[in-house]
Amino acid sequence: MTAQQDVSAIRVDDQAFLVSSTIERCPKVMMIRELTKNAIEAAAQAPSDDRRVEFSVTTVQGAPKLTIWNTGPGMDDEELSRMTNLAASIGKQKGLDKNFGMGAKVASLPSNRHGIRYRSCKAGVVHEVILCERNGIYGRLRRRDTMGEDLGDVIDVTEQVRAAGVRALTADWTEVVLLGNRSDQDTVTDPYDGDPKQPKFWLATYLYHRFYRLPDALEVRLDEGTHARGPGSRRFETIPARESKKAFSRAETVKLANGLKIHYIYDEPFKDTSHNKSISGSIASAVSTAAVVFHDEMYSVLTGRSWTIEAPTFGIPFGAKHISVHIELPDDARVRPEGYRQFLRYIDGEQNQVEASDFAVEVLENRPQWLIDLIHSLAPNSGDSNDEIRNRLQELLNKLRVKTISPRVVPEGDIFVNPGTGGAMAPRHLDGESVGRDGRQHNADLTIVQSGAHLARMAQNMERAPALIPLDDEEEIEAKNIKGRAARYYAKTGELFINMRYPAVDIMREQLEREYAHAGDVDIMKRLALSHSRNSMIQRVGLAVVFALAKRLNKEWDEEAMGKALEPESLSLAADNHFDSLQDARRAIGTTLKIKRTGSELDAAVA
């Protein structure tokens, strides 16, 4: 017989404080996601030939206001009133991984204190309610007629809508108008009242970087004024939808045995511009991205410089401006959107955020051959041969007996851990390994779980000297975010990108040219001065990386401390010390040209 347990339910003592704090803690930028998601879910319930979501402009008291309208089941006055309460929803199943019943309201009110106008048509009758904040209280605005008579907080506006002639009353629909924080605020171009500021036509790009797929037969349109492509209404298309129409130069999806799908997309340059090809005719941004996809939505999105800086970790050292990578998790992955659905979190362990970088090794190892060839073709040819420098660095590493953590999967009890990604994986079936599409061995039948939930024995290998990649192209230097810095090291791939336009190179070159200005063949002398200046900086930065890696043997240095030693700023300090490199360069130049430095330069050096 089961013992009966009585529990006194926890209640809210200060309801006003709970409501205000819940609303004001919500990230403002989630507003459009929540409103769009609600509209999509409702429209998906409409007949298959009438599933529509439309973004448009409504003028209210002379100011443009962003409007979201959708087909699908409408709400009567009682349902509309109940829907505008926190933790309430109509026709949706609640759950931590489903619907919370407060997303759109909570996310929208911080940027719409003046009001959010909801209208819904059900069976030909339209009701309206305005959510707002007045004197620190969030709630439904009570309405009065011209005589001051209280009309309540949900009113019938059927005749007003019929007279306007904009919306038909023959089918159900729902409309949301964002009134902003002020009556004169333009919520179409300035949805957050300047905090944060948005580019003029921000809406399409936001949708493009959030919604990876739409339900079948559902159409999302952006009317004139809400997009950047001139007059008329334009259809919004997701990334896979554009791929199916061959908007990109090449794309391929690689399916892994653990349920992951990795989408690789190449978007070649558009004509002679720096833009991508898919910008042609698009209402959304054409910049390349990396992201995690879960339940048809994008998380941990990297764009622009954030992506090009991280891309080498994913095996894309060059061309990231034109290459996108999207890691799609299986529906049953052990992850869940956090409370405001801005991020994904692992369900287990410390519940860390899910980042695209967690899957960098999988992305690298499963790159299609065409992509590998493309990346190689985009690599700059600096003309430098750094094999000798790298060999010297390797000899030093071997002497120091520095070891590295191997990025291979090793068993630990009934789990597997991939140290290279930082993510733990629990097997559905312990099938060992399977041969992937490229003939290499891949981990089979694994389900992603919390990063760091378990620890495994890390296989130890000898550290390899960094791959030395000199960069002369300004665009590549900018892409790696090392303008004004000497280098950037990527620990996961062991690549060291070196800025050959860093001032230390020219400072040393100019000094050597002055010292040997009397050489018989000035052109040869200048080439030697430049070569030694470049190679010496590559070596100085390479040595800085080697000695930083050697700190793994020092128990007083943790990974965070090592990371600081490997930051671009630390490597730049090493590059700046060109003085110690001068003597070797002088000796080599003097031997080659069979001359000595000028006396004046020698005197100056001694002085």
Side-chain angles (χ1 to χ4, degrees), residues 24 100 103 114 118 128 131 162 177 187 193 204 207 231 238 242 274 294 354 371 421 439 442 489 542 571 579 585:
E24 292 171 10
F100 298 166
H114 185 62
Y118 284 87
E128 174 184 294
L131 281 179
R162 181 179 285 114
V177 178
T187 63
D193 201 13
L207 297 175
T238 62
R242 295 177 74 187
S274 61
F294 183 61
V354 180
L371 181 59
T421 64
H442 296 285
Y489 177 67
L571 300 180
F579 307 102

Side-chain angles (χ1 to χ4, degrees), residues 265-281:
I265 298 173
Y266 173 54
D267 197 358
E268 69 183 53
F270 180 59
K271 297 180 179 179
D272 296 326
T273 71
S274 61
H275 297 292
N276 286 340
K277 175 186 173 185
S278 65
I279 195 174
S280 179

Side-chain angles (χ1 to χ4, degrees), residues 142-158:
R142 297 196 70 83
R143 321 290 279 281
R144 298 181 184 278
D145 63 16
T146 55
M147 303 297 294
E149 191 73 26
D150 187 4
L151 300 177
D153 51 25
V154 181
I155 62 174
D156 187 328
V157 292
T158 306

